[in-house]
Every structure is written in C-alpha cells, then in structure tokens.
Amino acid sequence: MITKMNICGRKRKKTETGDGKREKMQTDFSPSPSVHVNEDLIKEILLNLPTKAVLRFKALSKSWFSLISDSEFARRHFDAAVSPTHKLLNFVNDSKAYCVDIKSALCNDSWHAVSNFIVPSSFDLWGSGLSVAGSCRGFLLLQYYFHDLVMWNPSTGRQKEIHCDSSWPHDLSGMGYDPVDDDIVVVTVTLRINDDNDSKVSYFSLRTNCWTSVEYVLPYAYSKFQLELRHGQFWNGALYWILKSSDKLRSVVIAFDVREKRLSEVPLPNHLAILPLQSDIYHLKVMGEHLFLCLVRNEVALIEMWSMKEQHKEVTFWIKTFVFSSYLVGFMSLIFPICFTENGEILAFNSHDTLLKINKKGNLVRYGKKHSLLDFLSCGMYRESFLSLPGESGEIK
Amino acid sequence: MAERGESSEAVMLKKTEEEKLRKGKMIVGDESKAGYEEEGKKVKLVTSDGVTMEVEISIVKEMEIIQTFIGATDTDDSFIFPISNVSSHILNQIIELVKGEYDQELAKKLSHDELKEILVAANYLNMKTLFHFIATAIANVIQNKSVEFVRDFFGIVNDFTEEEEAELRKTNAWAFEGVDED
C-alpha cells in the first residue's frame, strides 16, 4: 500500500491517534496480496460471461459449484442475456450430434461433436427419423417419427423423456414458454382422428408433468411441404403452424396460445391464403423479433419472405420483407432461412442441405461447402443456457 | 463524522479551505451557499490510507452512497466524507476510469488486484456504471481462461476431491475446450 501511495503522489504523514484506532485501517494496510471478492460480486461477474465459461467455472470450488447450480441464478443469467450464444445443432445417424456457433456456421471446421445425448431406449423401436421439433430456453425438443419426445439441453446434457399419451402419432408438434407459470409447454396436434374432422390437441406441462387433451373440430389438411411445416414456431406467446384448408385451396395459419392453452385460426389475408397453382407457402420461421412465412412463386422464380406485422380480430397484416430469386442458390432451389446473423444477413439452408448467407438485398453473400453432416430436418437452433427444466429443483449431478 | 473532519488537514488542501474546515467541520455556514457553481465544486474524500482528496462533484455524483448523504445534508465544500474501504490509489484509478468515459482499453492496463479492488470499491460506493464496467472487464479477463487461472485470480482454494473434479470436467467436457493458455 505504501508503494501505491508513492506512485500516486498522495503520500501523507498520518497522526497516530486518528487512524491507528480504527481496525479497518489495519486490514487495509496489511500486505495481503489478494482482495476478497464476495459471492454476491462473483455472481455479478458471472452474469457477464457466456454459458460455456460459467459451466467451466463450476469446477472451481464447491461454493462456485453451488452458486452456479442455483436455479434462480441460472434464470438471472439467462434473462440478463449479456453474451447469449446461439448454436445450430445437427444430428447424424440419430445419435451423434454436432453443433456450431451461428457466427461461424459456414466454416466446416467450427463444427464440434456434442456427446452428452443419450438415445432413449424407447427410440430404438422407431429406428431412424429423428427431428428437432422445437427450441426453447436452451432446450431442444426431439422426436422420432412423431412419437415419443425428448427434451434436451445440449449445453448441460440434461434430458427428459416425454411419453405421448396416445399410440396414434401426432401430426404437428412444438414447444413454447409460459412466463406467468414459468413453464415450458410441449404441444402436439393430431388432425382428423375421424371423418368428422375431429382433431386432438394435447399439451404437456413440464411444471406439472402431465398431459391434457382437448378435442377440436379442425377442418385442415397438410400442405404439400408437410415435413418442414409440422414443427411449430414459437412467437409472441403462441405456437404457429401453417396448414391447408380441408379442400386444400387455402393456406391456413393456426396458433396455440401457450399461456391460455387455446388453439385458434389466425386469418391470413386472401393474397397470401389463396395463391396461384405454381405458388405455395413452404416455410414458417421466427427470426429476430418477427414471424416470417416463406412463399415460392415458381411462375416468376421468386422466393418471398413476409413478416407478420399485426393481428386484429378478423385479419393479420403481413409485409413483404425480402425477395430472392429462386435461382440464387441453384436451379429452382428453395431457401429455408434459419436466423439473422450479427450483421443482419440471413443464414439459410438451400434444398440440398447446404448452408448459405444472403444479404438483405437478396444477394448471395457466402455459400458454405456441401456438408455431409447437415440435414435440414434434424437441425435445430438453440441458445446456450444452464437452466433446469420447470418443475425440476436444483441440479442433477 | 466530525472527528474525521478534524483529521483532514491534508497536504493537498488549499489553505483557505483548510481554514474553513477547521472552524466549520460539518456545520454549514450560510454565506458559503452564495454564488455556488455546481460544476467547479469539489468534494473532499478521505481514503482508507488517510489521504484527503478533492474530487470533482461530477465524479462524486456517481457515488450514490455519498450522493445520498450530500443530498440529505445541506453542505458546502467544508464537507468531508470518509471512504474507509477505498485506498487513495484505487480512488485515483476510479477517477481516471470515470474521466476516461469507461474505456475498456483503460481497464486492460489494470492489474488483477486493481480490478478486484475497484470492483469492491464500486460496490461499496454504489457506483453503478463503474461497477458494471469493471464486472465486464473482469469477465473479459477470465472468459476464456482455465479453471486454474480463475482460482488463482480470485484466490479460491479447490475443495473438490480429484475424482469430483474429474467428474465435473467430464460432464461439461465441451466447456473446457478451446481455453486460452494461462
């Protein structure tokens, strides 16, 4: 301390009486090399670190371990979102997962194996066919052939099987978050379980750990791009899917309000609902703050991205945000956007499972190499987190 | 409070101020209010090593712990506030960081102990912007570092058994990849 005072030129002779009395002074003058940073302050530092570093520092000591394992702290870290990392994950052969930071997704060398997924034994029955059906708060929703479901956090390895309550396979699935109950809700929809258009909507609350089923009359059918559209998009508190009217003449958007647990049709304006024969809506995707639908117009070789602007009772308003040539990434290839990159470009797949980047003007910025690992349907995006599942207390060791 | 005022015939005080101090302590004379320029105003802080420093009001304003006190007491420049948890060296560092408008480049020049001391001081003085700045700076230092480096940084003793630690490293193996060399 004395030397420090010299450095800043503030050295001053002190009277014995005033300062000597105080204990505080003595500790300050002690030559202790290290300053003690208490746990509350450590927490504030950890809030500024990405998930990867925080998980690593669990191994520092027992007190750091319990501090980081605290579910309230995990929530604070997630909500603070100081340095959120978004990753793209891909399954190969239904068991091996690889992931990459979105920032370096086009660089093949950046992909690395994720080895903490344990294939549930019930999945063996179905063989291959794993897909990523949803993503929420660091967890991915995986499913085999529209049967059993698994929640998995690739960052922590935490996973939980969710057995579907019926042997009848569902058609649509998805996962969303209810902030009021702090609950993750998994939703499945089975269309037309009989000839009267009766359909079943089932939802599983992670917090209560049980399924609830409600029957609806849903006069809908799949669009021809069924697989891509079966996984719901969670946006503004609801899960969205695109379907066809039962006569297949109109496109229909349905939404399940995750908080209210209610399914409703979101009316599409006619110019999007009824399209010429060569055109169709083929993809629905939440990107940034918006819900986009992708529309291909084969007659003019264009792909359009429309974002939902607002919703009134009778109708929704959509704005044509991006237009690309469908020759942009190969002959009549569709573009499946994944997310925006840091500088506002669009990261997307083409029809051949190759990653690419497109700028806002619709120009191809960069084309990834054909990657043998990539498969659009078994790809999912998640935000790294060390959150536990709702209803789970503390940490599974 | 008053006794601390007494112990502050510091070398850096201007003589006139010293005089006011001797008679004034914390009692405010009416005349001192007249013609007061907020901007040029300085507040005297006595650091843990007993140094009295004149700090610009603009900087003191960020110290909510002192600000509350100044706000509550009608005071003039004879007012002296003891900050018994902060050394003069650290206070100087803090002043530089505030004047430098919290440039992360400045934080890079600080030693590990200085970073920690400033963090503790920012918390004590309730300087929100500084606290956030320095917490970020420390996060930047340790972000890509090994467990051993961070233990050393904070002076943490490893109380895991070898087996326990190995297990933890295995569970989150990916988090240990691509770490900088210490």
Side-chain angles (χ1 to χ4, degrees), chain A residues 172 191-192 197 218-224 242-248 250 252:
Chain A
L172 312 174
L191 294 168
R192 305 180 75 169
N197 280 331
L218 300 175
Y220 307 133
Y222 313 129
S223 116
K224 68 175 179 189
I242 281 221
L243 292 168
K244 289 280 181 195
S245 58
S246 51
D247 57 12
K248 301 212 172 188
R250 287 177 65 95
V252 176

Side-chain angles (χ1 to χ4, degrees), chain B residues 21-45:
Chain B
L21 232 159
R22 268 190 218 108
K23 61 177 182 190
K25 292 184 190 172
M26 279 189 56
I27 301 129
V28 182
D30 274 344
E31 77 284 351
S32 62
K33 269 188 190 172
Y36 224 51
E37 280 281 298
E38 260 274 296
E39 289 195 4
K41 193 180 169 188
K42 290 192 173 182
V43 175
K44 296 178 194 95
L45 304 177

Side-chain angles (χ1 to χ4, degrees), chain B:
Chain B
M1 286 297 148
E3 57 191 301
R4 306 231 175 134
E6 241 159 18
S7 73
S8 62
E9 306 101 308
V11 281
M12 68 251 293
L13 291 189
K14 289 170 202 159
K15 285 211 165 150
T16 47
E17 282 165 340
E18 267 185 300
E19 253 165 32
K20 235 188 242 174
L21 232 159
R22 268 190 218 108
K23 61 177 182 190
K25 292 184 190 172
M26 279 189 56
I27 301 129
V28 182
D30 274 344
E31 77 284 351
S32 62
K33 269 188 190 172
Y36 224 51
E37 280 281 298
E38 260 274 296
E39 289 195 4
K41 193 180 169 188
K42 290 192 173 182
V43 175
K44 296 178 194 95
L45 304 177
V46 184
T47 58
S48 63
D49 42 340
V51 178
T52 303
M53 290 172 64
E54 286 190 9
V55 182
E56 282 168 34
I57 188 80
S58 61
I59 294 170
V60 176
K61 272 192 168 169
E62 293 197 26
M63 306 175 180
E64 285 187 28
I65 189 175
I66 297 173
Q67 197 52 37
T68 335
F69 202 79
I70 292 177
T73 354
D74 202 4
T75 174
D76 66 359
D77 57 357
S78 67
F79 177 76
I80 288 195
F81 199 92
I83 43 173
S84 51
N85 289 3
V86 184
S87 70
S88 57
H89 175 66
I90 290 304
L91 184 56
N92 270 317
Q93 301 278 15
I94 290 175
I95 291 166
E96 274 185 38
L97 290 172
V98 178
K99 282 186 176 167
E101 295 175 341
Y102 298 114
D103 183 352
Q104 283 291 352
E105 288 302 312
L106 291 174
K108 284 180 187 164
K109 294 175 191 155
L110 299 169
S111 73
H112 294 170
D113 271 345
E114 284 169 338
L115 285 169
K116 288 185 288 180
E117 284 189 66
I118 295 170
L119 182 83
V120 172
N123 182 54
Y124 165 72
L125 297 169
N126 204 358
M127 296 178 76
K128 293 204 170 70
T129 313
L130 176 70
F131 185 85
H132 179 73
F133 167 82
I134 213 77
T136 309
I138 294 177
N140 288 341
V141 172
I142 64 174
Q143 177 163 333
N144 293 315
K145 297 293 189 199
S146 71
V147 165
E148 291 75 14
F149 178 96
V150 180
R151 272 189 200 133
D152 193 51
F153 186 100
F154 289 107
I156 308 274
V157 179
N158 177 19
D159 51 1
F160 284 119
T161 63
E162 261 180 48
E163 294 77 26
E164 282 171 333
E165 192 181 338
E167 182 62 31
L168 275 169
R169 284 174 184 267
K170 205 178 127 194
T171 313
N172 297 311
W174 70 279
F176 293 84
E177 289 163 11
V179 170
D180 293 350
E181 283 185 28
D182 294 348

